[in-house]
Amino acid sequence: MSELSEARMMRIVDELSEAAERVGLEVRREKIMREIGYRTRGGACRLRDKNLVIIDRDQPAAEQLEVIAEALRLRDLESLYLSPAARRVVHLGDAPA
């Protein structure tokens, strides 16, 4: 992923956010408060009757991309059009280590 520019990564974040909305995830870009001594990270969660993906808007694009891709890996995306770059990012986590 490091070969992608920051702007290109943000375009993919936006594309994956739209895909997330189409599969029933509400995507929120929030300022996550930080304290000294721990690292915050967004991710998928359920709040009452809503499935959410929280993305820390102050994180670098690469980290935002990983958060949204991780949330989408558990979803069926076969019926959605994703650009080849976006689909590649989502499926990176499927590869065996």
Side-chain angles (χ1 to χ4, degrees):
M1 238 184 304
S2 61
E3 69 274 358
L4 295 175
S5 72
E6 186 86 2
R8 177 74 174 126
M9 280 190 256
M10 284 310 296
R11 284 194 298 273
I12 296 172
V13 168
D14 291 339
E15 179 181 351
L16 292 179
S17 295
E18 290 173 14
E21 298 280 347
R22 293 192 308 251
V23 296
L25 294 169
E26 180 181 330
V27 178
R28 292 187 185 176
R29 290 184 176 150
E30 310 258 341
K31 180 173 180 68
I32 297 177
M33 301 304 291
R34 290 177 172 77
E35 296 286 331
I36 295 175
Y38 68 91
R39 183 173 182 265
T40 59
R41 186 171 191 266
C45 65
R46 184 163 178 84
L47 178 64
R48 294 186 184 94
D49 62 341
K50 293 182 180 178
N51 291 309
L52 304 173
V53 178
I54 308 295
I55 297 175
D56 184 349
R57 68 178 181 224
D58 293 334
Q59 282 185 318
E63 291 180 32
Q64 291 184 35
L65 190 56
E66 182 53 37
V67 168
I68 190 80
E70 186 177 296
L72 287 172
R73 284 184 186 120
L74 301 176
R75 300 290 178 147
D76 180 15
L77 304 176
E78 292 306 312
S79 63
L80 297 180
Y81 172 78
L82 292 175
S83 69
R87 196 165 291 277
R88 216 174 6 261
V89 168
V90 171
H91 290 297
L92 279 178
D94 294 342

